[in-house]
Amino acid sequence: MNEITSIDVSEIGTSEIYQLLTTAIAPRPIAFASTIDKEGVVNLSPFSFFNVFSANPPILIFSPVRRVRDNTIKHTLENIREVKEVVINTVNYPMVEQMSLASTEYDKGVNEFSKSGLTPIDSIKVRPPRVKESPVSFECVVDNIVELGNEGGAGNLLISRVVYIHIDNKYLDGNKGLETKKLDHVARMGANWYTRVTEQSLFEIPKPIRNKGIGVDQLPKHIFKTDIFSGNDIGRLGNAEKKPSEEDLDEFQKKSSIAQILKIRGKDEKIAQLHKTAKGYLQKGNLDFALKTLFSDGL
Ligand SMILES: Cc1cc2nc3c(=O)[nH]c(=O)nc-3n(C[C@H](O)[C@H](O)[C@H](O)COP(=O)(O)O)c2cc1C
């Protein structure tokens, strides 16, 4: 059994909760938010309490929190209370240092476009400008501000409806869609850590939404009596759309390697060899053969 640390939230302070939440809930995408006050002074700041919450209407939500140290609010929130518009710009690796610079707590009235050296471009439907260097910029109207509390650390949900989108063509694939591999996105982790989405860190999992997986409860029970299969192996096997049929198995068992294993007299040894072979197929990405191997001892 793993040893577990359990915490009653009422017994720890806000800074500690903040650290725990922002380290555990990671990576978080970054909304690089451009806003404007009623005098027309522009502000640009990053927020990683951010995500997409709806496609119809298209809604992005981010949250400037009340400062824990003195319970003051951020200029971004002040601006949005005055002018309910924001451009949410995405952040990728080539601009990450300039984004970080823009998070400096400059005095009100300081335009972080000038401080960070990023380029403002006029928006089409809203007053705040967008960031030229960002891969994608979403012009938004803020429909709602939900204050989550009055004390330091309290979030303010800025429910932002996308009205116009700008995409830098260099991040498009051949079909005018965005290409994940090209985006070079960064995301915020706990403390001062960031992560970068490189080709090496990306992997795909076939979606089990349209095609129902059989579920791990349909797999042969003997696979749970060994630790050769990881949770991911078992998840992948349970994602198969159907069990192999008798005919599939008859055909498959003619393969010499499986035929040899099935001749082994000792049941435990036979199962162990089937497991080893199935694991090998899984490692090569051959789910079909892995499944047939595991069911070869009987359906
Ligand atoms: C990557 C990154 C993510 C951040 N996310 C948040 C956030 O989600 N909420 C928040 O209140 N502050 C966040 N901050 C800190 C703000 O950017 C910082 O307080 C900024 O100075 C606020 O600017 P403003 O007062 O001009 O709005 C983040 C900083 C960085 C570098």
Side-chain angles (χ1 to χ4, degrees):
M1 262 284 275
N2 295 348
E3 283 192 22
I4 299 288
T5 299
S6 303
I7 298 166
D8 181 337
V9 169
S10 65
E11 285 171 10
I12 59 173
T14 306
S15 298
E16 206 178 331
I17 294 175
Y18 205 108
Q19 288 311 320
L20 270 172
L21 289 173
T22 52
T23 307
I25 311 298
R28 296 182 305 285
I30 300 168
F32 204 10
S34 160
T35 54
I36 198 164
D37 69 10
K38 59 180 185 313
E39 264 79 51
V41 179
V42 167
N43 188 91
L44 179 66
S45 298
F47 296 92
S48 68
F49 292 179
F50 164 59
N51 222 306
V52 49
F53 288 87
S54 168
N56 184 18
I59 300 289
L60 307 177
I61 300 182
F62 69 105
S63 173
V65 299
R66 288 174 165 273
R67 290 187 184 87
V68 178
R69 63 169 185 274
D70 57 9
N71 195 15
T72 52
I73 64 166
K74 312 229 165 157
H75 299 141
T76 301
L77 177 60
E78 286 178 16
N79 286 358
I80 287 181
R81 281 178 177 169
E82 291 177 14
V83 177
K84 296 194 169 33
E85 297 175 345
V86 57
V87 182
I88 296 182
N89 304 275
T90 64
V91 179
N92 70 353
Y93 191 73
M95 59 188 295
V96 69
E97 294 279 352
Q98 285 171 286
M99 175 281 299
S100 170
L101 180 56
S103 79
T104 308
E105 308 231 325
Y106 291 114
D107 289 343
K108 177 124 173 94
V110 173
N111 178 341
E112 286 90 356
F113 276 99
S114 314
K115 286 289 172 197
S116 62
L118 291 161
T119 319
I121 303 215
D122 284 349
S123 294
I124 306 288
K125 293 203 172 178
V126 298
R127 277 160 282 178
R130 66 188 165 94
V131 177
K132 176 172 177 266
E133 290 78 1
S134 287
V136 186
S137 299
F138 297 96
E139 294 186 18
C140 304
V141 172
V142 177
D143 283 337
N144 237 312
I145 303 176
V146 181
E147 295 178 9
L148 300 177
N150 302 314
E151 292 178 21
N156 296 276
L157 305 187
L158 301 176
I159 302 180
S160 314
R161 180 167 41 85
V162 179
V163 292
Y164 216 87
I165 303 173
H166 305 270
I167 304 171
D168 184 333
N169 283 354
K170 69 171 172 271
Y171 301 105
L172 291 176
D173 61 17
N175 299 320
K176 299 244 171 218
L178 277 166
E179 192 164 318
T180 296
K181 280 188 201 166
K182 287 185 182 164
L183 279 166
D184 204 3
H185 268 152
V186 289
R188 187 76 192 264
M189 312 292 289
N192 287 334
W193 293 103
Y194 288 82
T195 185
R196 178 180 183 180
V197 181
T198 61
E199 222 173 313
Q200 291 73 27
S201 68
L202 283 166
F203 61 95
E204 281 186 289
I205 299 184
K207 258 198 206 134
I209 292 177
R210 293 223 175 94
N211 311 319
K212 272 188 211 148
I214 55 173
V216 299
D217 55 340
Q218 297 299 305
L219 298 173
K221 299 288 169 270
H222 53 74
I223 73 164
F224 299 102
K225 294 189 180 131
T226 158
D227 50 18
I228 185 169
F229 298 109
S230 66
N232 282 338
D233 290 335
I234 287 169
R236 180 60 69 90
L237 289 162
N239 250 312
E241 285 171 39
K242 55 181 171 43
K243 289 186 190 179
S245 65
E246 302 258 13
E247 299 79 66
D248 290 340
L249 289 177
D250 284 347
E251 190 57 35
F252 181 69
Q253 286 163 7
K254 290 185 192 135
K255 270 174 71 79
S256 64
S257 58
I258 301 297
Q260 288 303 321
I261 296 174
L262 293 177
K263 279 187 202 142
I264 298 173
R265 287 262 173 80
K267 188 166 166 57
D268 289 351
E269 175 58 16
K270 184 164 66 180
I271 297 280
Q273 288 304 320
L274 287 174
H275 286 174
K276 213 170 129 197
T277 307
K279 178 81 183 182
Y281 284 134
L282 281 173
Q283 281 164 339
K284 286 190 214 128
N286 190 339
L287 176 63
D288 182 43
F289 277 18
L291 211 62
K292 285 175 180 161
T293 303
L294 290 172
F295 277 101
S296 281
D297 191 47
L299 278 172

